[in-house]
Amino acid sequence: MLIKLTGGKVYDPAHGIDGKIMDIYILDGRIAEKPRDDARIDKEYNLTGQIVMAGAIDMHTHIGGGKVNIARTLLPEDHRMDPVAHTALMRAGCGHVVPSTLTTGYRYAEMGYTAGFEPAVLPMNARQGHLEMGDIPIIDKGGYVMLGNDDLFLRMLAAKKDQNAINDYVAWTMDAAQAIGVKVVNAGGINAFKFNQRMLDLDENNVNYNVTPREVLKTLSRAMYELGVAHPLHVHGQNLGVPGNIITTLNTMAGVEGYPLHLTHIQFHSYGTEGDRKFSSGAAQIAEAINKYPNVSVDVGQIMFGQTVTASGDSMSQHRNSGLATPNKWVCMDIECDNGCGVVPFKYRDQNFVNALQWAIGLEIFLLVEDPWRIFLTTDHPNGAPFTSYPHLIKLLMDKTYRKEVFASINLDAQALSTLASIDREYSLYEIAIMTRAGAAKLVGLHDRGHLGVGGAADITVYSEHADQEIMFAKPAYVFKDGELVVKDGNIVKVTWGGTHVVKPDFDRSIEKEISKYFDSFHTMKMEHSKVSKGEIEGDGRGKLLVHEAKGRREKTA
Amino acid sequence: MENLSQASTVETVTCPFCGLLCDDLSVDRDSSGNLNVIENGCAKSITFFGRPVVTPSPRIAGKPVELKAAIAKAAEILGAAKQPLFSGLGTEVYGMRAVMNLAESTNATLDHMNSNGFMRNIQVVQNSGWLITTLTEVKNRMDLLVIVGTDIVSIFPRFFEREVWNKETMYGQDTSKREIVYLGGRDLDTSAGISPDGRKPEVLPCDMDKLPDVVSALRAIVLGKKLHATEVAGIAVADLEKLAQRMKAAKYSVTTWAAGTLAFPQAELTVQNVTELVKVLNKDTRAAGLPLGGIEGDMNANQVCTWISGYPMRTSYARSFPEHDSYHFSTDRQLSSNEADALFWVSSFNPDRTPPATNIPTVVFAHAQMKLEKEPEVFIPVGLPGADHRGIAFRSDNVVSLPLQQLRNSTLPTLAEVFSAIELTITNSALVASEDK
């Protein structure tokens, strides 16, 4: 099947294409060369006056796994307000802050997204994460597996095990959990909370192992580099939400000796202690540091006003913040001497000083970071807001007049502490395409996504140009997933099933002897049974593993 | 590939019969596919795996028929029903996925056979949340176990062996020093709570229907309130005060209950008193709750229903979108109010869990050994997950899931195959109907 997309205005930053009128050809799900003049075009779309980008990629969104299902269980009242009925094409479900799996896939696709990455896959809950993602239609999925709070890793670190042994364990875990990256959440802190530590700063010892978060981050970021994993260590920092945590965040950026580091939902980690209320914006300093350290990338974790739910592996921080739960109910868990989780509903209010300033801090960071290849558009769905608020967020970034209007309506004390009104930057379509496509694909390590070059997967989104960017980005004219038209005028026209992106770095398989023995001694299941098999992802006939290159194991770097 | 028709011993077998999902069993298979647990068994797993192989034919009104005919008849019953009820739901994850799909296409209501117990926990989560833990945490870190209203072993036979008196822990704890307290219930078998060195557990018995009083008194004491009474339901307040002190002094107390055994009215409020008490303890020390469940696939049904529909059990697609109501959509009420007009009953793990008595058309998808007092309209024997076919099951703690192995060849279809085939039949007939127009 040869498809021609004719005359659209193309934004393809991976190839430096900034709004050029071009034709794009799709052959059997891939972007193809211009065929010979006599080739038969099976289907042509006239895209004159329309904007063409690769399908968008959400590089950090909580869409599958235990804590997501807990959040669903916790909030039936939220689902009741957004029922989704059965149609001839789509199965029923429900939406808003934690949509059902099916609705998640439909709504992402309807917004022009073609991939989403679950950032908190617990090794002990990886099977559930993939099961849930297996029930998300259309988009591709993938996950970052959580390390750095598990007993075995901390034990190895405490015993000062050789970096190569740690690399083997990290790669084994990625393989077992079918991951494309590794995330560390409150490094060592989730574990410390189990021993009744309530805070753990970068250089503070986890009392049980006498290791610090700094050591955890250094070791794991180095492991990612040495294993040749494209995605840098994905870091949810220490002291989430604590006024003054900017110091910790700046030290974290400086503390990994130049290894690539991705700091996630940076907004929640950019708080100062100035002003009468001892809560202030650290956005300028954070942005300055990001601009300075080329090894650092961030996603923002923008908050939006309204009801949402926070779902995180950071049981220490979530328990600390549980008093703020709105409505007043929350779940925390200690999990398998491996990880934890905390689910706390939140309602961000524009007239609340702290919430209003959080909103402004996120936008300040977006606008003050210079390199769009190192900053990504997220709300940390659903923690800052549900992903369905992305079109609104894009408008805030692209339209300074609108942004200033909204800013003028928020809590006055927060306005007084923010520089947002003085920032005139407006994101261009090219920059939006970097943040949500080309940059995201590069960051996650998806060689054939996020761009429109020949050979790439034909994940393509076409927007009708509109002066109001929120309207434009909410309902694309067309979305193609692997070359198939799945959305027309913002509505699903075909339901397909995407794949699961993974990376498989090499490791010494003999490490399994040790891990297996460890499981038999201390765990409550066999090591073999903790592994998510290829068959579990592909067995239903609709999922598939998409394996990306790990660029060969590097020699020890020191 | 292993030859499943030959006699052999299979190791590291996962047993799906209780919520522990022990995966260290060794099971002998004879050439007919009969199974026998030879290592790490318990009374339940030995019964579960030991049932001899039978492969009865599907039946319509008691007469043996081909599977295809039984599927067509089930589809016909479903097609004619205005308000079908899918209940029982004793199945594994893939089976439950197929159940959800069929329910969604046919506007069915979903409930599990253990929901009367399980919903007590769900209601607590929906109302106030909780702070809970999982089995490996218990095994490695628990220093005080408070067991509310159950002996544990009658539902989880190997709980103490695996999670309490284990020889090693990650942190070098001497597990024989672990403290065990049974709170509530009468004449419980507390022998499993005796430590390896012979130390007896503390037992504070009371009648089950008085448990709400005892638990609320304990919560009040933990909150620092002074009780004027000297005893509650026969338990000295001084003993409860001592227990509260131990819970506060413990580094990681675990308070556990089995919602299914709390068979008194408004038992969810007692669960909530337990979980809120645990929250209070966590202001100063660490503590966690441990709900015990995972019987007959209740966790599987609930997890899959939650991610696919957005709601836990007792959810209905009657109006084409999912709605959840823990009262209205219970099996008992759907049947007693005559709202349901067809019953699809699933029990693939346990032949003894037969459908409730009803006069509405009933299709039973069952363990091959199920004996029914009243012959249903359609009976379809299905494979036993974890023996006849592979699957996935969730453990009691609702976090860990394990693969279930296929241990023998079987001619029985899986529940997922049968439900998918019914859905296909209904979808195809709908297509034909729309083309006829």
Side-chain angles (χ1 to χ4, degrees), chain A residues 66 69-70 72-81 83-87 90-94 98-103 122 124-125 127-128 130-132 134-135 151 155 190-191 193-198 208-209 319 328-339 518-531 533 535-537 540 542, chain B residues 11-14 20-24 93-94 97 100-102 104-105 122 124-141 162-163 166 168-171 251-252 279 281-288 302-304 306-312 317 319-322 324-325 390 392 394-395 397-403 405 423:
Chain A
N69 235 17
I70 292 169
R72 292 187 185 107
T73 309
L74 200 60
L75 291 170
E77 61 271 38
D78 185 67
H79 300 321
R80 277 187 192 116
M81 290 188 292
V84 178
H86 173 93
T87 71
M90 289 182 282
R91 290 194 187 271
C94 59
V98 261
S100 58
T101 47
L102 297 156
T103 306
L122 278 49
M124 291 299 159
N125 183 247
R127 179 166 287 113
Q128 181 178 359
H130 286 292
L131 280 169
E132 290 192 29
D135 278 324
D151 171 69
R155 190 179 278 252
I190 299 170
N191 180 288
F193 178 56
K194 295 174 184 177
F195 296 94
N196 209 24
Q197 281 178 280
R198 302 293 168 131
N208 207 54
Y209 302 86
H319 185 261
N328 183 17
K329 51 183 174 179
W330 51 271
V331 170
C332 278
M333 287 190 76
D334 300 320
I335 297 175
E336 294 295 278
C337 300
D338 174 50
N339 270 298
Y518 172 83
F519 266 72
D520 286 345
S521 300
F522 303 126
H523 272 286
T524 45
M525 70 167 148
K526 298 280 178 190
M527 177 194 77
E528 276 307 315
H529 296 156
S530 76
K531 295 180 185 172
S533 71
E536 288 177 69
I537 289 174
D540 61 1
R542 63 189 193 197
Chain B
E11 292 184 341
T12 64
V13 169
T14 304
L20 289 183
L21 295 185
C22 302
D23 65 346
D24 57 352
V93 166
Y94 298 121
R97 239 186 203 163
M100 292 303 296
N101 286 343
L102 184 61
E104 195 269 350
S105 335
I122 294 289
V124 169
V125 175
Q126 290 175 337
N127 190 260
S128 54
W130 59 19
L131 195 162
I132 58 170
T133 191
T134 67
L135 296 179
T136 295
E137 297 281 354
V138 175
K139 177 176 176 175
N140 289 283
R141 304 203 297 115
R162 283 173 62 90
E163 336 293 1
N166 43 295
E168 282 184 287
T169 73
M170 288 174 186
Y171 306 105
K251 289 202 167 78
Y252 198 61
K279 282 186 183 175
L281 290 171
N282 277 284
K283 288 194 195 316
D284 297 311
T285 183
R286 285 309 322 277
N302 204 65
Q303 285 273 32
V304 178
T306 303
W307 78 63
I308 289 185
S309 76
Y311 299 107
Y317 286 101
R319 292 206 288 165
S320 290
F321 54 83
H324 166 71
D325 189 316
R390 301 203 300 182
I392 292 174
F394 279 89
R395 218 165 64 176
D397 52 37
N398 221 16
V399 169
V400 173
S401 56
L402 283 99
Q405 298 99 314
E423 189 178 14

Side-chain angles (χ1 to χ4, degrees), chain B residues 114-121 124 130 147-151 155 183-185 188 206-212 215 256-275 290-292:
Chain B
N114 292 344
S115 287
N116 284 338
F118 188 75
M119 288 313 296
R120 294 173 189 137
N121 289 342
V124 169
W130 59 19
I147 306 165
V148 181
T150 174
D151 61 10
I155 42 174
L183 180 67
L188 298 176
C206 74
D207 292 336
M208 279 300 271
D209 61 354
K210 293 281 187 252
L211 196 58
V215 172
T256 188
W257 70 96
T261 64
L262 305 178
F264 44 81
Q266 274 79 52
E268 61 276 9
L269 298 178
T270 295
V271 174
Q272 190 169 39
N273 269 329
V274 170
T275 56
L290 181 73
L292 300 175

Side-chain angles (χ1 to χ4, degrees), chain A residues 46 89 119-120 155 160-161 164-165 190 261 269 296 324 337 415 459 490 507 514 547 553:
Chain A
N46 182 354
L89 265 180
R155 190 179 278 252
K160 308 230 177 298
K161 288 265 186 180
N164 273 330
I190 299 170
L261 199 66
H269 303 269
V296 170
L324 301 170
C337 300
Q415 286 186 45
D459 293 354
F507 64 95
E514 202 183 317
V547 184
R553 183 155 172 170

Side-chain angles (χ1 to χ4, degrees), chain B residues 198-214:
Chain B
R199 194 167 38 86
K200 287 195 173 143
E202 179 164 5
V203 184
L204 302 172
C206 74
D207 292 336
M208 279 300 271
D209 61 354
K210 293 281 187 252
L211 196 58
D213 300 2
V214 172

Side-chain angles (χ1 to χ4, degrees), chain A residues 49-185:
Chain A
Q50 293 183 304
I51 309 265
V52 183
M53 295 184 185
I57 296 164
D58 195 343
M59 47 66 65
H60 184 111
T61 173
H62 297 280
I63 50 174
K67 68 197 171 313
V68 184
N69 235 17
I70 292 169
R72 292 187 185 107
T73 309
L74 200 60
L75 291 170
E77 61 271 38
D78 185 67
H79 300 321
R80 277 187 192 116
M81 290 188 292
D82 192 7
V84 178
H86 173 93
T87 71
L89 265 180
M90 289 182 282
R91 290 194 187 271
C94 59
H96 203 54
V97 301
V98 261
S100 58
T101 47
L102 297 156
T103 306
T104 299
Y106 304 143
R107 291 207 167 154
Y108 259 119
E110 283 168 352
M111 282 194 329
Y113 275 73
T114 51
F117 290 84
E118 163 59 57
V121 175
L122 278 49
M124 291 299 159
N125 183 247
R127 179 166 287 113
Q128 181 178 359
H130 286 292
L131 280 169
E132 290 192 29
M133 287 194 276
D135 278 324
I136 296 176
I138 304 177
I139 64 170
D140 287 344
K141 292 86 58 170
Y144 315 138
V145 67
M146 274 170 62
L147 282 167
N149 282 288
D150 53 307
D151 171 69
L152 184 50
F153 173 78
L154 292 171
R155 190 179 278 252
M156 289 173 88
L157 204 57
K160 308 230 177 298
K161 288 265 186 180
D162 174 70
Q163 179 83 32
N164 273 330
I166 288 183
N167 293 355
D168 282 331
Y169 172 57
V170 170
W172 176 86
T173 308
M174 293 183 79
D175 184 53
Q178 301 287 5
I180 195 165
V182 171
K183 184 193 194 191
V184 58
V185 174

Side-chain angles (χ1 to χ4, degrees), chain A residues 331-407:
Chain A
V331 170
C332 278
M333 287 190 76
D334 300 320
I335 297 175
E336 294 295 278
C337 300
D338 174 50
N339 270 298
C341 87
V343 181
V344 183
F346 256 71
K347 191 166 190 176
Y348 297 107
R349 295 177 170 89
D350 62 353
Q351 297 312 315
N352 171 292
F353 164 72
V354 171
N355 298 164
L357 196 52
Q358 286 178 300
W359 177 86
I361 291 167
L363 292 174
E364 287 171 11
I365 294 171
F366 268 118
L367 298 165
L368 295 173
V369 170
E370 287 157 7
D371 181 2
W373 290 90
R374 292 194 288 121
I375 185 166
F376 301 93
L377 187 140
T378 67
T379 55
D380 186 18
H381 163 80
N383 293 313
F387 65 81
T388 39
S389 59
Y390 287 167
H392 178 71
L393 175 53
I394 291 172
K395 181 177 181 181
L396 288 168
L397 297 176
M398 293 189 71
D399 183 341
K400 69 179 177 198
T401 312
Y402 175 67
R403 181 168 70 229
K404 287 178 186 186
E405 268 172 39
V406 180
F407 181 70

Side-chain angles (χ1 to χ4, degrees), chain A residues 19-40:
Chain A
K20 189 175 156 197
I21 308 289
M22 290 172 66
D23 299 335
I24 289 172
Y25 297 89
I26 304 171
L27 182 63
D28 301 333
R30 295 265 151 186
I31 295 170
E33 299 272 10
K34 181 176 190 294
R36 292 196 324 263
D37 287 346
D38 58 348
R40 193 173 72 95

